[in-house]
Amino acid sequence: IAEVNITYDTLENNIEKGNLYNTIMRMIAERAALDLEELIVNGDTDSSDTYLKILNGIRKQADAHIVDFANAPVSKDAFKAGIKAMPKKYYRNPADFRFFTSYNAQVEYMDTIANRQTSLGDRAVQGGLPTAYGTPVQGIAMIQGVPDGTDPNIIKSDILFTHPKNILFGMSRNIRIEVDRDIRERKFIIVLTAKIDTKFEEPDAVVKIENVQE
């Protein structure tokens, strides 16, 4: 459940005039999409955050095959370890799988490729999705690094290795947006509700590489 309050004064005294309501509704939709992505990725029922504790996201659920990279800097060795930990009955076409990680880890990996005096290095600088052993490495905004408990200068993150279609996101009904007004407080109340959940179709087909230094 998300709630947005808009006062009558806000709607009346703005440069967009009657268009502001439509602008706010678009902004709510964009923010809701980002918040849902955060919950899907970082949800944790043990979290102290009241929003994230709604459900366990894919990072928490990925516990079938865990590789501890021991705070070493992100490199091809991290991706190699992930591939070797994946049960071979699932890993048939490397290009169909994805390494999902933080944007910082993706950039650091691309930087190691860019240091090569080759056309591959040039392409890494120019952009595009990098690959590791034939599998694309894709940065996700909601996978963010956290300081290490012993050394705050070390920022560590995770890498999830699976097939994109293995990640399921379900909604039991459409997202509902309802509007009411409080005439005493002179404001509109916009409430967005959604009933969602996320699971892996095959939990055994997921590898998580932990403690990767960005």
Side-chain angles (χ1 to χ4, degrees):
I1 299 176
E3 180 179 319
V4 178
N5 295 327
I6 307 172
T7 64
Y8 289 5
D9 286 342
T10 300
L11 289 175
E12 294 168 356
N13 304 327
N14 72 90
I15 59 175
E16 292 194 54
K17 298 301 179 183
N19 291 327
L20 179 63
Y21 182 82
N22 293 329
T23 299
I24 291 174
M25 295 302 288
R26 287 196 300 270
M27 294 174 66
I28 290 174
E30 293 172 0
R31 184 68 223 186
L34 190 62
D35 287 347
L36 288 175
E37 180 183 338
E38 181 182 20
L39 184 61
I40 292 167
V41 174
N42 297 318
D44 185 347
T45 54
D46 295 326
S47 174
S48 58
D49 188 301
T50 54
Y51 176 63
L52 295 180
K53 72 185 304 179
I54 292 175
L55 55 82
N56 284 328
I58 58 175
R59 292 176 76 177
K60 182 69 178 292
Q61 294 182 40
D63 57 5
H65 308 284
I66 297 178
V67 176
D68 188 349
F69 207 56
N71 290 342
V74 61
S75 67
K76 61 183 180 61
D77 292 332
F79 304 111
K80 180 174 69 174
I83 292 173
K84 294 179 73 173
M86 174 66 71
K88 296 303 173 282
K89 62 181 178 180
Y90 305 117
Y91 192 58
R92 298 184 180 277
N93 188 351
D96 289 342
F97 278 67
R98 291 291 185 277
F99 289 107
F100 297 109
T101 188
S102 68
Y103 279 132
N104 284 350
Q106 181 193 37
V107 169
E108 289 296 332
Y109 175 63
M110 291 177 68
D111 191 55
T112 63
I113 300 174
N115 288 332
R116 301 182 180 185
Q117 302 299 316
T118 62
S119 60
L120 179 62
D122 293 337
R123 289 197 299 272
V125 174
Q126 293 170 356
L129 205 61
T131 61
Y133 303 103
T135 299
V137 179
Q138 185 170 344
I140 296 179
M142 288 299 118
I143 297 183
Q144 299 177 355
V146 296
D148 181 63
T150 57
D151 186 351
N153 294 320
I154 295 178
I155 305 299
K156 60 183 182 179
S157 187
D158 300 331
I159 300 174
L160 294 182
F161 175 45
T162 189
H163 196 293
K165 292 184 178 180
N166 192 33
I167 302 172
L168 304 181
F169 173 61
M171 305 186 71
S172 65
R173 61 167 170 80
N174 292 334
I175 293 177
R176 184 176 298 158
I177 298 179
E178 299 168 286
V179 181
D180 198 0
R181 66 171 66 191
D182 186 332
I183 59 174
R184 185 183 298 277
E185 296 293 332
R186 310 297 291 170
K187 65 182 180 182
F188 286 95
I189 304 169
I190 303 173
V191 177
L192 180 149
T193 60
K195 300 178 71 174
I196 67 169
D197 201 2
T198 184
K199 297 290 182 184
F200 289 112
E201 182 174 8
E202 179 49 75
D204 189 48
V206 185
V207 175
K208 179 165 68 172
I209 304 107
E210 295 183 328
N211 301 320
V212 179
Q213 183 178 337
E214 295 182 349

